[in-house]
Amino acid sequence: MELRQLEYFLAVAEECHFTRAAKRMHVAQSGLSASIRALEVELGAPLFLRTTRQVELTQAGRALLPEARRALGSVESARDAVAAVQGLLRGTLAVGSLQCLHVVHLPAVLARFHEVHPGVELRMRQSGNAELVEDVRAGRLDLAFATRQPKIADDLRMSTVASEPLVLACAPESPFAHRESVALDELRGQSFVDFNADWGTRDEADRALAAAGVDRRVAVEVNDVHSLLDFVAFGLGVALVPQSFSLKTDRAHFVGLRGDAPVAETVVVTGHTVGAAAAVFLDLVLEARAGRLHLAG
C-alpha cells in the first residue's frame, strides 16, 4: 500500500467523484482510477460503489477512511517535525472549538501563532462536542477544545484546560434572583433555556439535574451564549451556566448552587501523537492561560 494510493482514495471519498478527485490531485483520471483499483485488489475488497451519477463508499471504504486520514496525518506530522528541527514550522494546523470558549481568547492566540509562524496554514471550525471529538479521531482536526466527555476513544487523549462551577442564571424578577444559593432540586417545574443537545455545557446540565431527580423541560434551545443569556434575562427560563458567563451580561442574575455544585470542565482533545504545529500552539495556549503571553487587541 502506497501513500499516493491513500491520497487518491481520500480525494475520491471526499469529492464523491473520480473526475473531480483527479483534478484536485492534478493527475489523469485513468491514472487515479488505476491506482484505486490496485488498492482494492491489494485489500481484497471494493472501496467504492460506482454508478453513472455518483460514487459512494462501501462498508470497507468507510472502515478505511479514518485510518487513511490518520496515516496521512502521521506522515504530515513527521515532515513537520523534521522541519521544526531545522527551525521551520510549516504545514496546516486545524483547530476545533466550542462556540464560546471562555477559558482562553482563541482568536488572539491564533493571531499570535500566525504572527510567529506565518508558514503554517490555519483552519478553524466550531461545532458540538461529539462532532469535535470525532473530527480529531478522524484526522480532520489536529486538536479541539470541548467539554469533558464521559468516554473517549482509546486513540485519543483529553487534557484539562480549566474547570469552573456551574451557577444558576435567572431573570432579575425571578424568585431565585436575590438568593445566596439554590439547591438543584428546587428547580423542579422550572422552564429552562439551554444549548442544543451536545452543544456547550448542555451535557453537564443534563447529568447534574438528572442526578438531582429533576425532570426538566427545556423551553428554549440555542447554540450561542449571548442568545441564551438574553432569553434568560427576559424571563423565558432559567439556565445552568459556567460561572464566567456572569461577566458577559448585567441583565441576568447569577446564583451559586448549594452543596456539591456540578463543574464545567474544558478539555483539549488530541491524538496520542501531536504534530509539531499543534504542540507549539498548545504551548501558546498554556502561556496565555498563565498570563505570560502578550496578546494584542
Side-chain angles (χ1 to χ4, degrees):
M1 186 183 302
E2 300 177 357
L3 289 176
R4 179 60 64 181
Q5 290 175 314
L6 293 180
E7 290 174 340
Y8 289 169
F9 164 76
L10 186 58
V12 176
E14 292 179 345
E15 297 292 342
C16 296
H17 200 278
F18 275 81
T19 301
R20 289 196 298 267
K23 288 181 179 179
R24 168 173 156 180
M25 300 304 297
H26 306 289
V27 296
Q29 182 178 335
S30 58
L32 180 140
S33 297
S35 181
I36 295 293
R37 284 195 296 271
L39 180 60
E40 291 175 322
V41 169
E42 181 177 347
L43 294 175
L47 300 174
F48 296 102
L49 294 172
R50 303 162 173 86
T51 69
T52 56
R53 292 186 175 182
Q54 61 184 357
V55 174
E56 295 181 358
L57 285 167
T58 62
Q59 185 174 354
R62 289 193 295 272
L64 177 61
L65 184 58
E67 302 302 329
R69 284 193 173 117
R70 273 197 289 269
L72 293 172
S74 295
V75 170
E76 190 62 28
S77 295
R79 291 170 179 158
D80 293 346
V82 173
V85 169
Q86 297 172 320
L88 304 171
L89 203 60
R90 37 145 275 177
T92 300
L93 175 64
V95 178
S97 177
L98 302 170
Q99 185 271 337
C100 186
L101 184 67
H102 56 278
V103 300
V104 62
H105 194 261
L106 195 54
V109 179
L110 284 167
R112 177 60 175 163
F113 179 90
H114 180 65
E115 177 185 349
V116 179
H117 305 289
V120 178
E121 178 187 354
L122 292 178
R123 297 177 185 169
M124 166 71 199
R125 70 183 301 263
Q126 295 177 337
S127 190
N129 289 305
E131 188 170 349
L132 289 170
V133 171
E134 175 57 25
D135 282 348
V136 174
R137 192 193 69 80
R140 291 185 289 269
L141 293 174
D142 296 300
L143 59 98
F145 295 96
T147 56
R148 178 167 289 279
Q149 304 295 292
K151 288 184 177 182
I152 197 167
D154 292 339
D155 54 351
L156 295 178
R157 181 174 62 187
M158 284 192 300
S159 302
T160 300
V161 178
S163 61
E164 60 179 314
L166 294 181
V167 298
L168 178 71
C170 60
E173 298 79 13
S174 167
F176 302 119
H178 301 289
R179 296 267 298 272
E180 289 187 5
S181 63
V182 175
L184 286 175
D185 60 9
E186 293 183 78
L187 301 178
R188 289 190 181 93
Q190 294 290 317
S191 291
F192 281 83
V193 180
D194 210 332
F195 296 110
N196 294 321
D198 191 49
W199 202 269
T201 53
R202 173 68 182 261
D203 293 342
E204 283 87 346
D206 284 342
R207 286 192 291 267
L209 289 164
V214 177
D215 184 14
R216 68 166 176 162
R217 181 178 71 89
V218 179
V220 180
E221 290 186 318
V222 299
N223 62 6
D224 73 279
V225 172
H226 298 290
S227 293
L228 182 148
L229 295 176
D230 280 345
F231 280 113
V232 167
F234 278 93
L236 293 172
V238 299
L240 296 184
V241 299
Q243 190 174 46
S244 61
F245 283 15
S246 63
L247 302 175
K248 298 180 181 297
T249 182
D250 57 4
R251 294 193 292 174
H253 283 225
F254 297 86
V255 184
L257 297 175
R258 192 177 304 153
D260 190 12
V263 172
E265 188 172 359
T266 303
V267 299
V268 60
V269 181
T270 66
H272 285 291
T273 301
V274 179
V280 170
F281 176 76
L282 288 174
D283 285 343
L284 289 178
V285 169
L286 293 177
E287 288 183 39
R289 290 285 298 155
R292 298 193 305 269
L293 184 66
H294 174 69
L295 300 175

